[in-house]
Amino acid sequence: MAESKAFRPNDCTCFKEAVCIDAERIYDSCSDKDCLEDLQVFFSDKTQPIIDKAASIKCKKVKVINVCVDVESVPFNKGFYSVDMTFYFLVELSAYLSPGTPAVNCCGISYFSKKVILYGSEANARVFSSHSGCCSNNEQMTAMPNAVVQIVDPICLACRYVECPAKTCCPGSVIPCQICTQVGGNFQDVQVSKEVYITLGLFTIVQLQRKVQMMIPAYDFCIPDKESEYSTGDPCEMFKKIQFPMEDFFPPRLSEFRDDCGSQNG
């Protein structure tokens, strides 16, 4: 049974009470350290002419625009689910039209897809809420777990600039419109004579969670203790040497800062 202690006036002793709450329980999670080699960068009709005329380019920064996540149950393996993810990156480049001239800032879009399989348990309960009213469909589906992807902006490890035969590229057919609008310009039917490929180092945490009733307090963070078995091909030796930045996903608590200050002042 949960331990509880009644509060009395003028009683300075600490007390602890367990209460039941609705919360998202993490059933399974994995951390990944991926080296993404030779991702093509797509440019709009306004930016591609600058890339075609450039003598050299340099990758300045890469940040995540969005991650599209889809969860599907795994056949013949109850309780397990595949999490399909597509990462969209905004790539900022410096294009040098000739040696010694100032760089021209350019932005493009790149993307990458991957899949992991995690355990998410099973649930068949049907939940209805009073917040939506009686006339609307107020049923909350609980059969599928919720996938949460945490990510920090990737590291640009390499950038390649290559000639390509005259052709028509149509990245708009694979890049959603809401992603393209963040760069501006038209991404369909763009004439291309030079292409850009980048290599990224990517850190992610993927979690499968469900709404459950639980007792609090809870004292520990839920930190993944395994990596998924996904492989991107040939290893990137430099990226292997970088440790997983767990502190970026799980910031330190106040007590840890106090311990550090206490040890330094002592």
Side-chain angles (χ1 to χ4, degrees), residues 14-81:
C14 296
F15 69 94
K16 181 170 59 177
E17 181 181 0
V19 294
C20 185
I21 64 168
D22 282 328
E24 293 278 352
R25 177 185 174 182
I26 299 173
Y27 277 81
D28 202 1
S29 62
C30 67
S31 59
D32 267 340
K33 178 182 175 182
D34 295 320
C35 185
L36 316 179
E37 297 186 81
D38 288 341
L39 299 180
Q40 184 175 355
V41 183
F42 299 99
F43 300 96
S44 69
D45 55 352
K46 297 180 180 178
T47 307
Q48 186 63 50
I50 300 175
I51 299 298
D52 293 338
K53 296 177 182 177
S56 63
I57 60 167
K58 182 175 69 175
C59 184
K60 293 177 57 180
K61 185 173 63 173
V62 181
K63 67 178 183 178
V64 179
I65 300 178
N66 201 353
V67 183
C68 296
V69 185
D70 186 38
V71 180
E72 294 287 343
S73 59
V74 177
F76 310 110
N77 205 347
K78 291 185 178 181
F80 284 86
Y81 300 83

Side-chain angles (χ1 to χ4, degrees), residues 177-199:
C177 294
Q178 60 268 29
I179 302 296
C180 298
T181 53
Q182 300 197 36
V183 178
N186 180 26
F187 277 78
Q188 294 185 354
D189 302 324
V190 179
Q191 296 294 328
V192 177
S193 61
K194 292 182 179 180
E195 294 177 334
V196 176
Y197 294 87
I198 58 174
T199 298

Side-chain angles (χ1 to χ4, degrees), residues 5-221:
K5 186 175 181 179
F7 176 76
R8 298 182 180 87
N10 301 324
D11 186 356
C12 296
T13 60
C14 296
F15 69 94
K16 181 170 59 177
E17 181 181 0
V19 294
C20 185
I21 64 168
D22 282 328
E24 293 278 352
R25 177 185 174 182
I26 299 173
Y27 277 81
D28 202 1
S29 62
C30 67
S31 59
D32 267 340
K33 178 182 175 182
D34 295 320
C35 185
L36 316 179
E37 297 186 81
D38 288 341
L39 299 180
Q40 184 175 355
V41 183
F42 299 99
F43 300 96
S44 69
D45 55 352
K46 297 180 180 178
T47 307
Q48 186 63 50
I50 300 175
I51 299 298
D52 293 338
K53 296 177 182 177
S56 63
I57 60 167
K58 182 175 69 175
C59 184
K60 293 177 57 180
K61 185 173 63 173
V62 181
K63 67 178 183 178
V64 179
I65 300 178
N66 201 353
V67 183
C68 296
V69 185
D70 186 38
V71 180
E72 294 287 343
S73 59
V74 177
F76 310 110
N77 205 347
K78 291 185 178 181
F80 284 86
Y81 300 83
S82 64
V83 182
D84 294 279
M85 297 162 284
T86 301
F87 301 84
Y88 292 96
F89 307 105
L90 178 65
V91 183
E92 296 184 23
L93 302 169
S94 293
Y96 297 88
L97 300 181
S98 61
T101 59
V104 179
N105 292 329
C106 301
C107 289
I109 295 174
S110 187
Y111 65 92
F112 168 72
S113 297
K114 65 175 293 183
K115 174 187 293 187
V116 298
I117 295 179
L118 297 172
Y119 178 75
S121 189
E122 291 184 290
N124 297 315
R126 301 175 63 188
V127 179
F128 296 86
S129 172
S130 61
H131 294 292
S132 302
C134 183
C135 297
S136 60
N137 184 13
N138 59 350
E139 182 175 1
Q140 302 174 11
M141 300 301 297
T142 60
M144 300 292 288
N146 181 39
V148 176
V149 180
Q150 300 183 53
I151 183 173
V152 294
D153 285 335
I155 304 170
C156 187
L157 302 174
C159 184
R160 284 198 309 120
Y161 185 45
V162 299
E163 298 276 351
C164 66
K167 64 180 182 178
T168 300
C169 291
C170 303
S173 60
V174 293
I175 302 178
C177 294
Q178 60 268 29
I179 302 296
C180 298
T181 53
Q182 300 197 36
V183 178
N186 180 26
F187 277 78
Q188 294 185 354
D189 302 324
V190 179
Q191 296 294 328
V192 177
S193 61
K194 292 182 179 180
E195 294 177 334
V196 176
Y197 294 87
I198 58 174
T199 298
L200 302 180
L202 185 66
F203 297 101
T204 57
I205 288 180
V206 185
Q207 299 170 329
L208 274 187
Q209 53 190 35
R210 289 184 181 277
K211 274 194 172 182
V212 296
Q213 290 188 348
M214 60 184 299
M215 306 297 290
I216 60 170
Y219 298 101
D220 299 323
F221 285 114

